[in-house]
Amino acid sequence: MPFKAPLSDIQFLLEKIVGLDQLRATELFADADRDMTEAILSEAGKLCAEIIAPGNRAGDEHHSVLENGRVRAAPGFAEAYRAIAEGGWVCVSAPVEHGGMGLPVALQTAINDMMSSANLSLQLNPLLTQGQIEALAAHASDELKELYLPKLISGEWSGTMNLTESGAGSDVGALVSRAERNEDGTYAITGQKIFITWGDCDFVSNVCHLVLARLPDGKPGTKGISLFMVPRDLPDETGVPGVANSLKVVSVEHKLGIHGSPTCVMEFNGAKGWLVGEEHGGMAAMFTMMNNARLGVAAQGIGIAEAATQKAIEYARERKQGRVGGTGMIIEFPDVRRMLMTMKAETFAARAIALANAVAIDMGHATGDEEWTARAALLTPISKAHGTDIGHEVAQLGVQVHGGMGCIEETGAAQFARDVRVAQIYEGTNGIQAMDLVARKMMDGGAAAYALLDEVEAFAETARGTLPELAKPVFNAAENFREATEWLVEQEMQDRFAGCVAYLRAFARVLGAHYHLMAAMAEGGAGPRTKLARFFIKRILPEHESLIAQQRDGADGLYAMSVEELEAV
Amino acid sequence: MPFKAPLSDIQFLLEKIVGLDQLRATELFADADRDMTEAILSEAGKLCAEIIAPGNRAGDEHHSVLENGRVRAAPGFAEAYRAIAEGGWVCVSAPVEHGGMGLPVALQTAINDMMSSANLSLQLNPLLTQGQIEALAAHASDELKELYLPKLISGEWSGTMNLTESGAGSDVGALVSRAERNEDGTYAITGQKIFITWGDCDFVSNVCHLVLARLPDGKPGTKGISLFMVPRDLPDETGVPGVANSLKVVSVEHKLGIHGSPTCVMEFNGAKGWLVGEEHGGMAAMFTMMNNARLGVAAQGIGIAEAATQKAIEYARERKQGRVGGTGMIIEFPDVRRMLMTMKAETFAARAIALANAVAIDMGHATGDEEWTARAALLTPISKAHGTDIGHEVAQLGVQVHGGMGCIEETGAAQFARDVRVAQIYEGTNGIQAMDLVARKMMDGGAAAYALLDEVEAFAETARGTLPELAKPVFNAAENFREATEWLVEQEMQDRFAGCVAYLRAFARVLGAHYHLMAAMAEGGAGPRTKLARFFIKRILPEHESLIAQQRDGADGLYAMSVEELEAV
């Protein structure tokens, strides 16, 4: 049951909906002509479907394990990774001057999406490396860049992010890992980090840890944190990894999903590290890495939604049950059809939002225009939270379509749900994303949100002639949501936070409907995409109203019951 | 981290909301005075919290396994089961004349709820036995009753349901298992059954299989199916299990959850069976068993919601993160509070619906009144589908409250979600429940639904003086839902089915709000239950509107895309 790369959907979105052509009009991406981008996607799709996807079940069945202090990956992972690295697929958006292809983040996102469909556990490895490449490119010294970037981009080495400690998760500023200045300009890093994805790896020749720690004179909180490059094996003068650094994997977690991806507890015992960015300026660098990773995690959710949908459609086509009309297959049952349509419509909408986000990032890079940067910043928490929520919901619908077989592990349907679940939590829980949306991303008084809603409404206006039945509800939803935003920006933080998850979801509903409407218009208001758009707008978009009702309820109701009452009643 | 039996919630619901007193006014349940029912619940709660719950993790970690043709249960299960059996807790609603206590199904449901919180895998064993007891009591010959019922009620033997075959799941009528008449009046059963819960068990002295099969002269479809009692070991003339019957466990499934509950493939090779009910009349008996089991499965969902909520509250109280107001614990975060309030409010509503359902069953038994029977029939699919949907949603919220720890298996939060997932599928998928609601349960033209809505509206009227802010939205929601029902009963089946899941969920929203309003009124419109009611009515009830919008969209949109388009686009 092979995974089929969704090239037609992705190319349709890039060309007709999110405006890849705008990128081609910039100097930075002038070379990314359509022949080239289609060839890239097609090659990547082939790799994902033919080389990577077949190993996905093995990664679930064979948890990665710790042996003699080293992590042993699941069978087949090394070979699949080699194909990724040798094809240059670790990070296609990496800068040209360090050996990368300098392609748009939009393409990187599409590739991450397909690779996540194929094997989420394995894909986490290049995803983390991508974040590290971006952080180093933006903040590291030239020496570090020259040493590390080519190896990371080629996939010879892999990268990790070491933020979380047992007492410092969402609140990174609480971390207690220490850094001491060595006499030679390097640093000695000491501390324990948890939840370190691919904290060790047996198919690369070095693992490069980016570690947050506090110098002796670092202030409490996030302002006193510095970032260090701490390689597993210390490169010698020629750049070849030699002497082992003073760090180790203490244990590998036993997890709900992504069994093939080792989640490590790391211990640093005076490990040698090199400063990245300024002393006490680690959070800025880490945010670069995290924002990249957030869009990457959105792509993970979407990739799983895609894979789960394909699997469910295939099962429903081939599973006979009862005497329903037509073929007798369960795909003819109304409620099975509802689930499949929901899966398709949600996946399309989430992918459109993520790709629009990616294009905004690229346009920001290419033009320096602050409106694009603000658009990208606004969309990032929506892409991440909504993309991963949809990934999980769609995967759970996939389980349901499979009926009793859905809970039998050999089927693979449940694996998608288990694998994607943590994506709603890591890189900032989806609650944290929603807080980011209503606080930091509304520091402009809602300007970026209003600009986007203006576009949604303007498009609905132009669609009104062709598709009045769809254009009108989209316009009205945007108006409702604009009012919700006007209400939001007037509130104190506590009241914003009390409805932030509902607000984010409502936003995603409105945007999803907008992109579906664009898709319908792109095919002239008739055709399969129009039918899917109709389904989304009629059945799913109305949810925005109850979400807004939730959002506007404020904080009082949440705290009305005391903690003691919560426990007692 | 022990589970605490939610006695105050359950007793409040039974006494103040669903009307246990009505039962006490009947002859059948006149003995079930308050002292007695409270003592029963308190004892059951103690058993669940102290004896059963501590073994729950072991059941997840040690899958039950097949060894030399016999299933070996997880460590500790035998001891916990013995406590259940010796205490008389297998089936408290079993008929007095066969050694049961004859207590109301309402108490049985409350006990199932608590036992599911404690250990869902183990609880499935008595749950299946309960269904078998009910089916035998209603349909078996006196000889079979005398032989089997006392042993099943005492827990000496356990019972299973053998319906599903690989080609016959939701469509039971497609089954191909055969029965031949033996000369001695018994039958020889041959066939393979799948998904047989507790198909073998090493802590009872016999396993009694109720098996659906077709006699040579049985018509195709459900009308040609007969039901047979097929014990694992054949009782000798004194009733002691002796010679092994011709049946075996072929394999045990590797599942997403309930690892401690062996899900078996069973093979019957001319196994000796005794007819239960009439020849070709097996479905009637099986329906008795399934309806009982559906309410039992509802209780499973609610029990898991309860356990997950308790665990999440405890974690959130003790997990420090950041510098949020008050204690610095994550329970002070607005979005964590939102999740916990949602978990509490949903669990309460789902439990109220299930207990109201149970009381309707009991009133039907006690009075023979067809209105009660119709009420019970109407509520059963809602209890089952909604109770298990909520079980899963609340368990997933529990994972989210735990943040990164939620996906670490040792925490136990993910186990709840994995364990309860199949409850949305077995005993009729939740889609099948919704079809049952809009088809069979609306054959009265909506009369049972309108009668219930009348009560909802009448209560909201009486509450309007005390709690206008809550009573009004409940009244309006009931009116909206009445209109949705009026629309529904006018439609062709295909259009009903197209929105059936949304219709069922909307119904549950309205009923949940109604019971919350009753709870608020029961404490005089002020107090913790009023605060929880307010949360539900303000934040969750509004969903009924978007659900109704979905429900009324009809079937056209579902089938607009062809199967080929679903795959291609």
Side-chain angles (χ1 to χ4, degrees), chain B residues 149-197:
Chain B
L149 283 178
K151 305 279 194 184
L152 290 166
I153 292 168
S154 70
E156 200 175 326
W157 299 352
S158 66
T160 76
M161 288 170 76
N162 284 248
L163 287 80
T164 304
E165 300 178 5
S166 63
S170 299
D171 181 22
V172 179
L175 65 80
V176 296
S177 287
R178 294 175 289 114
E180 309 270 349
R181 296 179 184 90
N182 294 330
E183 291 187 358
D184 63 357
T186 64
Y187 297 79
I189 314 297
T190 300
Q192 197 180 68
K193 296 285 182 176
I194 63 168
F195 297 150
I196 308 309
T197 298

Side-chain angles (χ1 to χ4, degrees), chain A residues 332 344 396 421 559 569, chain B residues 332 344 396 421 559 569:
Chain A
E332 304 298 340
K344 292 289 289 187
Q396 291 289 357
R421 182 64 184 85
Y559 293 93
V569 173
Chain B
E332 304 297 340
K344 292 289 288 185
Q396 291 288 357
R421 183 63 184 85
Y559 293 93
V569 173

Side-chain angles (χ1 to χ4, degrees), chain A residues 179-190:
Chain A
E180 309 271 348
R181 296 178 185 91
N182 294 328
E183 291 187 358
D184 63 357
T186 65
Y187 296 79
I189 315 297
T190 300

Side-chain angles (χ1 to χ4, degrees), chain A residues 166 169 171 254 256 317 319 321-322 332 337 344 396 400 407 409 421 424 559 561 566-567 569, chain B residues 166 169 171 254 256 317 319 321-322 332 337 344 396 400 407 409 421 424 559 566-567 569:
Chain A
S166 63
D171 181 23
H254 174 217
L256 172 65
R317 279 194 79 153
R319 171 69 179 162
Q321 188 76 221
E332 304 298 340
R337 202 61 159 248
K344 292 289 289 187
Q396 291 289 357
Q400 196 71 19
C407 293
E409 286 290 5
R421 182 64 184 85
Q424 297 174 286
Y559 293 93
M561 286 177 81
L566 267 177
E567 283 207 319
V569 173
Chain B
S166 63
D171 181 22
H254 173 218
L256 172 64
R317 277 194 81 153
R319 171 69 179 163
Q321 188 76 223
E332 304 297 340
R337 202 63 159 247
K344 292 289 288 185
Q396 291 288 357
Q400 197 71 18
C407 292
E409 287 289 4
R421 183 63 184 85
Q424 297 175 286
Y559 293 93
L566 266 177
E567 285 207 316
V569 173

Side-chain angles (χ1 to χ4, degrees), chain B residues 70-89:
Chain B
R70 295 299 276 266
V71 169
R72 197 186 63 216
F77 273 36
E79 294 74 13
Y81 180 81
R82 203 161 301 133
I84 294 170
E86 285 172 4
W89 300 110

Side-chain angles (χ1 to χ4, degrees), chain B residues 376-413:
Chain B
L378 178 75
L379 287 177
T380 297
I382 303 173
S383 297
K384 193 278 181 181
H386 180 66
T388 56
D389 282 351
I390 289 306
H392 186 247
E393 283 169 36
V394 167
Q396 291 288 357
L397 283 172
V399 170
Q400 197 71 18
V401 169
H402 281 77
M405 293 307 293
C407 292
I408 304 298
E409 287 289 4
E410 284 76 3
T411 311

